Amino acid sequence: MRAVWKKRPMALVVAVVLVLGIVATVLMWTLRTREPKPDELAATRYGFNTDGGAAWAPESGRLVMTKRGAREHIAIGFRFRTRAAIERLDGRALELRLAVRTIGPCGADAGWTVQPAGGGASPSVRGLPKEAQPYVAVTEGQTCTETLVRIGSASPEELAPGQDYTVTTDIPAGTGNPIGATLTVARRTTDDCDRKATAECVTGTVASDGPDVEELVSADRGWQFNGNGCRRWFADATTSFPCLPDRGARIMTLGDSITAGAIGDHTWRYWAWQKLDPSSHPTWVGSKTETWTGDYAVPHTQWASKHDAQSGVSAATVVGWVPGLMASERPDIVMIDLGTNDTHPLFGADAAAAAASLERIVDEVQTANPRAQILLAQPDGHHDVALSIMAQLAVRIAGIAAARTTSDSLVSIVDLRTGWNRDVDTYDGTHPTQAGEYFIASRFVNRLSGTYAYGRVFGSVPKPPVPAAPTDVKALAQDGGLLMAWDRVPQSSEYRVYLRDSTSGGQFERVEAGSRELVWGTKELVLGHEYDYYVTSVQAERESEPSKIGSFRAR
């Protein structure tokens, strides 16, 4: 059979009403970190430009210092990315060195000591495996007003790649007021380490610079230290960055319909919330709670649905919103996915103009909060826009991240282009299916985890679900023709109509496919014959179960 007309109005057809068609699904994911690529550029991993760094150094970590009465609490986290990096230590000890500078006067009571006055426990180290022979040593630095705290592992081969280690120690602090600190990582020969007793590496010469010492945190790397603070560092970055709070960070999302969603969608924000909430409990902020057409697949009252995205909006328009939103929402993290509409022919902006608007948004965010951490997406774009234009925009967005990153505000790119499959991840070439929602959420969540040490990795991306079947399918047969209508299934890329001539004993045949319209009609019927029908929906190349089978007689 062949459809000869569609969308023809008929007076007796009941108007098609949009209804919610997806039941909320709770999905359990197994956490899985992707296999590291030894030759992957650091800028690709982190989303910002780097300057190389020592090949043997840990990939990243953080430094926390907290004054606790007469003691200084120190926590140093680090992670090796690959086994190859650990092997580049060449069997030498790994040592993290914290040099703390104080205001005089010189004297034993001004600095920090291994044994506190009046007795008490020596500093201890926690967090490294016992087999790695961890140690801590506190000595005088290069001047009488500098104290050198050395924490390390005499057997680095016992460390594992991809493992986050956090070493903590409490050091008796003197009366001197701390005014500065520098954290470096070093590799040193194990011959320097005295293993006869507690394996404390307190003997031997400690080099302060050279190829075996790499600076991680310092005043030159953005840390204004007054005795308390936290910095996130990368061995091959040009600066360190402020740590995000372990829990409760305020997240604001700026975007268009891809972020806002439509009625019946989950949106990528929902999947990001579901992954981040158990580990970090962020506060999602924004002036909106629903989609531009109604509520979500999971009602907005049941999850942290606040956002600042709007269907059809361009980056050029959002620029004007940012000062007010920053004042009212006070975010710590700003996630931006804009530029798709700017480059559409209706808006007429090229890649350069779209990038200029995005840079103005970043500038407004940093002006309002110089310590805001910004995730800037590289969108795949609208299906009507040439891929070459979106490639140009992606390059310019990477340039924005490099130019706008400061020692207090890390601007990191989120690649939404590589691996994006419009046939699977969109239902119309632009807007995401549930598979596309998973994809976008995983890229943002993994960027937060890998670059900002916030939350945890997204884990394996679930397969897209089988879509729901259309409901409330109606058929009207008159004047030798047929008109069918049904309710919308959110994110369907097409509907398929099946008919069979039961009078002739025929089988079901697909008579319509490829259309997202909610009506279909034909005049190719045999008068007096009985027909059966059903409709299916398609999403991410998966077809739903049939709708309820109906029947009619051709008149």
Side-chain angles (χ1 to χ4, degrees):
M1 297 183 184
R2 179 174 57 87
V4 296
W5 54 267
K6 300 175 184 175
K7 305 186 210 177
R8 181 177 175 180
M10 298 184 69
L12 297 180
V13 176
V14 177
V16 176
V17 180
L18 298 178
V19 297
L20 184 64
I22 293 179
V23 178
T25 304
V26 178
L27 298 174
M28 299 297 295
W29 301 315
T30 302
L31 294 180
R32 177 170 60 89
T33 303
R34 65 187 179 95
E35 187 70 19
K37 300 177 182 178
D39 58 347
E40 185 181 36
L41 295 175
T44 301
R45 295 198 302 272
Y46 306 138
F48 62 90
N49 286 350
T50 58
D51 63 352
W56 50 265
E59 173 191 27
S60 59
R62 71 176 188 170
L63 167 65
V64 181
M65 296 185 65
T66 308
K67 186 78 171 179
R68 295 180 175 177
R71 304 179 74 84
E72 188 79 21
H73 177 75
I74 301 170
I76 304 175
F78 66 94
R79 175 180 62 193
F80 282 98
R81 180 168 168 267
T82 63
R83 171 61 62 183
I86 299 175
E87 292 173 349
R88 291 190 191 102
L89 288 167
D90 294 331
R92 285 177 273 185
L94 168 74
E95 188 169 271
L96 293 153
R97 301 172 178 172
L98 182 66
V100 180
R101 293 171 295 282
T102 59
I103 296 177
C106 291
D109 62 340
W112 297 354
T113 57
V114 178
Q115 292 289 348
S122 299
S124 62
V125 59
R126 297 181 299 277
L128 288 173
K130 182 178 180 181
E131 295 77 9
Q133 301 182 27
Y135 64 87
V136 60
V138 182
T139 60
E140 185 177 285
Q142 295 182 348
T143 68
C144 68
T145 58
E146 182 178 84
T147 302
L148 181 64
V149 181
R150 293 182 281 131
I151 300 171
S153 164
S155 299
E157 64 272 11
E158 299 297 334
L159 303 177
Q163 173 69 44
D164 287 305
Y165 294 102
T166 300
V167 181
T168 61
T169 187
D170 287 288
I171 305 295
T175 59
N177 183 32
I179 59 171
T182 299
L183 176 68
T184 57
V185 62
R187 58 179 180 175
R188 55 181 301 199
T189 175
T190 53
D191 292 340
D192 291 342
C193 300
D194 180 4
R195 303 189 184 185
K196 294 179 181 179
T198 59
E200 292 180 346
C201 291
V202 296
T203 62
T205 302
V206 179
S208 59
D209 56 19
D212 291 329
V213 179
E214 178 78 6
E215 186 176 290
L216 304 175
V217 178
S218 69
D220 294 335
R221 288 176 173 254
W223 197 21
Q224 302 300 317
F225 176 70
N226 62 356
N228 293 278
C230 177
R231 298 295 290 186
R232 172 78 170 152
W233 54 263
F234 298 87
D236 50 6
T238 58
T239 184
S240 61
F241 306 98
C243 300
L244 285 165
D246 292 330
R247 301 167 72 86
R250 298 173 67 84
I251 300 178
M252 182 172 74
T253 54
L254 298 175
D256 45 38
S257 55
I258 293 172
T259 299
I263 187 171
D265 292 352
H266 286 88
T267 76
W268 68 261
R269 293 179 291 107
Y270 172 81
W271 305 115
W273 164 81
Q274 193 178 74
K275 181 59 64 175
L276 289 172
D277 189 66
S279 58
S280 301
H281 297 288
T283 300
W284 297 77
V285 298
S287 58
K288 302 177 178 65
T289 56
E290 298 186 13
T291 78
W292 68 284
T293 53
D295 213 346
Y296 309 94
V298 178
H300 73 277
T301 55
Q302 297 181 19
W303 60 287
S305 61
K306 289 185 176 181
H307 65 96
D308 285 300
Q310 181 172 307
S311 177
V313 78
S314 66
T317 300
V318 173
V319 170
W321 301 354
V322 174
L325 291 174
M326 291 297 295
S328 61
E329 309 303 338
R330 298 172 288 105
D332 302 300
I333 302 169
V334 181
M335 298 179 177
I336 304 170
D337 184 7
L338 288 163
T340 294
N341 289 328
D342 297 74
T343 53
H344 190 275
L346 289 177
F347 288 84
D350 58 14
S357 295
L358 287 168
E359 185 163 16
R360 288 176 60 197
I361 290 173
V362 172
D363 179 66
E364 293 286 2
V365 169
Q366 293 177 326
T367 298
N369 180 5
R371 294 174 65 87
Q373 307 306 302
I374 302 171
L375 285 72
L376 188 58
Q378 296 168 313
D380 181 68
H382 197 280
H383 64 83
D384 287 336
V385 176
L387 292 177
S388 60
I389 293 178
M390 300 312 297
Q392 294 172 30
L393 179 59
V395 172
R396 291 179 179 274
I397 287 174
I400 294 170
R404 301 300 309 190
T405 289
T406 71
S407 60
D408 285 327
S409 176
L410 169 55
V411 183
S412 179
I413 59 173
V414 179
D415 181 6
L416 301 184
R417 303 179 69 246
T418 305
W420 182 261
N421 183 340
R422 288 184 177 181
D423 292 334
V424 173
D425 296 322
T426 77
Y427 58 84
D428 59 0
T430 304
H431 298 92
T433 59
Q434 193 161 321
E437 292 174 352
Y438 291 149
F439 180 96
I440 297 171
S442 70
R443 292 297 172 93
F444 274 105
V445 169
N446 288 341
R447 177 61 74 215
L448 279 173
S449 173
T451 301
Y452 297 85
Y454 188 79
R456 58 184 181 182
V457 296
F458 191 87
S460 56
V461 177
K463 292 182 178 179
V466 175
T471 58
D472 199 21
V473 181
K474 299 179 176 66
L476 175 66
Q478 68 177 34
D479 301 329
L482 170 70
L483 181 65
M484 296 177 60
W486 52 88
D487 286 341
R488 171 183 175 268
V489 176
Q491 300 183 343
S492 287
S493 58
E494 64 173 289
Y495 298 98
R496 297 174 180 175
V497 179
Y498 295 82
L499 282 182
R500 73 178 172 191
D501 186 337
S502 55
T503 299
S504 300
Q507 301 296 315
F508 274 109
E509 297 180 25
R510 192 168 72 189
V511 296
E512 168 63 0
S515 173
R516 297 184 61 238
E517 299 296 334
L518 302 177
V519 294
W520 175 83
T522 181
K523 282 191 173 181
E524 294 188 352
L525 301 175
V526 180
L527 292 177
H529 279 214
E530 291 283 343
Y531 290 87
D532 301 320
Y533 63 87
Y534 67 83
V535 183
T536 63
S537 66
V538 178
Q539 179 191 133
E541 299 182 334
R542 305 189 72 180
E543 187 173 9
S544 74
E545 293 294 321
S547 64
K548 183 178 180 181
I549 296 177
S551 302
F552 66 89
R553 179 185 293 273
R555 305 169 183 269

